[in-house]
Amino acid sequence: MAFTTLRLPPYPKLVTNNRFSGIFASQFHSSALPSRLVLGSSSSCVGTLSLSINHHSSRWSSTTFTCFSQTSELSVSVDTYGNNIIGGGGREHALCYALQRSPSCDAVFCAPGNAGISTSGNATCIPDLDIFDSLAVISFCSKWGVGLVVVGPEAPLVSGLANDLVTAGIPTFGPSAEAAALEGSKDFMKTICHRYGISTAKYQTFSDASAAKQYIKEQGAPIVIKADGLAAGKGVAVATTLEEAYKAVDSMLVEGIFGSAGYRVIVEEFVEGEEASFFALVDGENAIPLESAQDYKRVGDGDTGPNTGGMGAYSPAPVLTKELQNVVMESIILPTVKGMSMEGCKFVGVLYAGLMIDKKSGLPKLIEYNVRFGDPECQVLMVRLESDLAKVLLAACRGELKGVSLKWSPGSAMVVVMASKGYPGSYEKETVIRNLEEAECVAPAVKVFHAGTAFDSDGNFIATGGRVLGITAKGRDLEEARDKAYLAVEEINWPGGFYRQDIGWRAFPQKQFSRNA
């Protein structure tokens, strides 16, 4: 079992918060720890163990966070991010970063993590803890007295990991398989919207290609075709012509490019407007909002080219005014939480609403739900969060979010994603990346989050995935955050990588944003 190597001597020096240093070495004994647990995409809690798992492709890799409290209670979080990479992702690195700053946490582990996480001081990486086997996770939690598990990625949630942990008596931050269907099945999400009066784009669901094409012909283009199930962020086609729409239907329903995820498709009206990401923590009955964020899905400048997992983001998002945020909470988030409870599958975890602010009405429409933290939005949110993440997540697990509020740093944050040339298509792996330490030193409040990195035989950082780095910066305003982020990006020496040069353009007057002008 992977657990047999979980002993202090073989692992690198434990990363600890300064005021608690030394506690781990003297108190890391299973007999000294309580038998409580937490699993999720970020871990939190005073003296509890939290595990979180993330998935972003057909191949998986795990990431584990662990927090130990001053009272010897263990808090560990395990996340797995799969983007055909081995190790943790940028979202997981950001969560490690936030947990390591949490006063409730003494130490953070990441399993397996990646080269950047292991050298950042944000976590101690444990490369051989297998978190894909529920029995193995439960055994680990029992052995080490884990108190809380926070499950972050969609795939293990949809497959029922949270169910298994709860059945084993382990408190878990993350929805059950039934509740995770909000992301696992777009048809289910749409059904909930229809049943509880939540504004979303007009749609129909099809399993027959001919029927889908007939509906598309009646509706006209542009139109959107989505695989019903999980497709690693690639199951959406925005068709500008009928021919493109027919081709998308055939690729999913006839050619089966997404396997079982594409056995049904959602044909949805195209809503013109501005996208925004809205996150809320949910305890089954109550919900509290996180700060607003906006990401950039298209691979190229000016929002051109195919969709990706995200090429950058910023927070807060000016398009989501306080008034609109209240509308989102009252008309989308809270009705969903209430509806899921009435359906008999209460939602506990992170509810991530992908929104479109309708150009015609100015009102938000729900485009999709995710049941975990978004990436790259997580990076900008975690650098701005000033509240104790651990305590907040534990409150969610206990059904105690009512009355809880979050504290955020003033100003703005921006992340620019650096990806391997060719992404989201085929790309070369193991290209060398240099000057990462120098990039973090170009200006205050710059942080480089690693999504897909490893070391080569000479000790150099190398790229192992499509999206590889998230260069994140805070500033007094969005303009300063942008300038810091791009200053750091330009310091990095990576001939095999590329990045968008216009992240944040929607928030600036056109005459102000001209990086290449």
Side-chain angles (χ1 to χ4, degrees):
M1 295 291 291
F3 305 151
T4 59
T5 62
L6 187 60
R7 299 180 299 233
L8 192 58
Y11 287 96
K13 182 178 179 180
L14 184 69
V15 175
T16 61
N17 291 339
N18 290 336
R19 69 191 188 94
F20 291 143
S21 60
I23 292 177
F24 176 88
S26 63
Q27 296 183 342
F28 187 64
H29 301 288
S30 58
S31 60
L33 300 172
S35 56
R36 293 183 295 151
L37 160 73
V38 181
L39 174 61
S41 60
S42 61
S43 115
S44 66
C45 54
V46 178
T48 56
L49 167 64
S50 123
L51 302 176
S52 148
I53 304 173
N54 283 349
H55 169 81
H56 200 267
S57 80
S58 58
R59 293 181 61 187
W60 292 29
S61 61
S62 61
T63 303
T64 312
F65 316 134
T66 309
C67 303
F68 295 83
S69 78
Q70 192 175 13
T71 57
S72 304
E73 297 182 35
L74 176 64
S75 171
V76 177
S77 156
V78 178
D79 279 272
T80 79
Y81 179 94
N83 197 349
N84 290 332
I85 62 175
I86 297 174
R91 165 175 40 203
E92 292 70 49
H93 193 173
L95 292 168
C96 286
Y97 172 78
L99 289 172
Q100 200 248 340
R101 292 184 297 134
S102 171
S104 299
C105 293
D106 181 29
V108 181
F109 285 96
C110 185
N114 60 43
I117 295 174
S118 68
T119 59
S120 65
N122 299 135
T124 299
C125 290
I126 304 176
D128 49 4
L129 174 61
D130 181 5
I131 56 121
F132 301 111
D133 181 343
S134 292
L135 292 178
V137 174
I138 292 168
S139 176
F140 174 83
C141 294
S142 176
K143 178 177 180 180
W144 296 109
V146 177
L148 173 68
V149 177
V150 183
V151 182
E154 66 275 23
L157 290 168
V158 170
S159 66
L161 179 58
N163 302 61
D164 295 337
L165 291 166
V166 171
T167 299
I170 299 171
T172 302
F173 180 83
S176 65
E178 294 76 15
L182 279 174
E183 180 171 359
S185 170
K186 295 176 181 63
D187 180 68
F188 175 81
M189 184 274 286
K190 289 286 193 177
T191 299
I192 291 294
C193 288
H194 177 74
R195 192 168 294 170
Y196 296 97
I198 299 164
S199 180
T200 188
K202 176 184 174 183
Y203 80 103
Q204 281 198 28
T205 303
F206 299 92
S207 56
D208 177 75
S210 298
K213 291 177 183 178
Q214 179 60 37
Y215 179 76
I216 290 169
K217 183 178 180 180
E218 295 169 358
Q219 300 302 312
I223 199 162
V224 181
I225 296 88
K226 299 179 178 180
D228 178 56
L230 299 179
K234 300 176 182 178
V236 178
V238 180
T240 58
T241 66
L242 293 179
E243 289 71 24
E244 289 180 6
Y246 297 157
K247 183 177 179 181
V249 167
D250 284 338
S251 68
M252 297 180 196
L253 291 180
V254 180
E255 300 168 20
I257 63 170
F258 298 123
S260 59
Y263 286 171
R264 291 190 301 181
V265 299
I266 309 300
V267 179
E268 184 178 85
E269 72 168 318
F270 175 81
V271 180
E272 186 177 2
E274 190 167 350
E275 293 184 53
S277 303
F278 191 94
F279 298 85
L281 300 181
V282 183
D283 68 4
E285 298 289 347
N286 307 291
I288 60 172
L290 302 182
E291 263 287 12
S292 63
Q294 186 173 61
D295 74 336
Y296 288 73
K297 293 296 187 187
R298 297 285 188 171
V299 72
D301 289 354
D303 287 339
T304 58
N307 277 334
T308 71
M311 294 300 295
Y314 57 87
S315 173
V319 67
L320 275 175
T321 63
K322 290 299 180 183
E323 292 76 15
L324 267 181
Q325 291 182 54
N326 290 335
V327 170
V328 173
M329 283 296 294
E330 294 298 324
S331 65
I332 295 177
I333 300 296
L334 293 177
T336 300
V337 174
K338 180 179 179 181
M340 294 297 286
S341 179
M342 294 179 66
E343 295 291 322
C345 48
K346 289 185 177 182
F347 188 97
V348 175
V350 180
L351 197 53
Y352 162 16
L355 305 173
M356 185 68 75
I357 310 304
D358 194 338
K359 185 176 181 179
K360 294 180 181 178
S361 67
L363 296 176
K365 284 190 175 183
L366 179 65
I367 300 301
E368 65 177 1
Y369 264 134
N370 293 327
V371 297
R372 34 69 185 182
F373 284 102
D375 185 349
E377 298 98 328
C378 188
Q379 284 90 312
V380 291
L381 291 175
M382 291 302 104
V383 298
R384 293 193 59 214
L385 181 66
E386 294 187 347
S387 298
D388 187 324
L389 179 62
K391 286 186 177 180
V392 173
L393 295 186
L394 184 59
C397 291
R398 292 173 172 172
E400 298 173 353
L401 279 182
K402 188 174 183 179
V404 172
S405 60
L406 299 174
K407 183 179 180 181
W408 302 90
S409 65
S412 299
M414 179 178 288
V415 56
V416 178
V417 170
M418 296 190 75
S420 297
K421 288 182 178 178
Y423 174 80
S426 60
Y427 52 84
E428 183 181 357
K429 294 185 178 181
E430 300 186 359
T431 53
V432 175
I433 309 169
R434 293 187 171 89
N435 291 4
L436 292 177
E437 290 185 9
E438 291 82 349
E440 288 194 330
C441 296
V442 299
V446 172
K447 177 69 177 178
V448 177
F449 292 113
H450 290 239
T453 61
F455 289 117
D456 66 12
S457 58
D458 296 322
N460 299 309
F461 283 109
I462 57 174
T464 59
R467 291 185 300 152
V468 176
L469 301 169
I471 291 77
T472 309
K474 288 196 298 180
R476 290 168 296 183
D477 52 31
L478 188 57
E479 183 177 7
E480 183 178 83
R482 176 197 67 188
D483 291 344
K484 286 183 177 181
Y486 277 106
L487 188 64
V489 167
E490 290 160 7
E491 185 70 22
I492 295 172
N493 180 3
W494 182 24
F498 78 100
Y499 56 93
R500 278 186 61 163
Q501 300 189 33
D502 64 346
I503 300 302
W505 70 265
R506 293 191 191 95
F508 296 102
Q510 288 299 313
K511 63 182 180 180
Q512 179 184 354
F513 199 106
S514 55
R515 291 193 53 80
N516 294 320

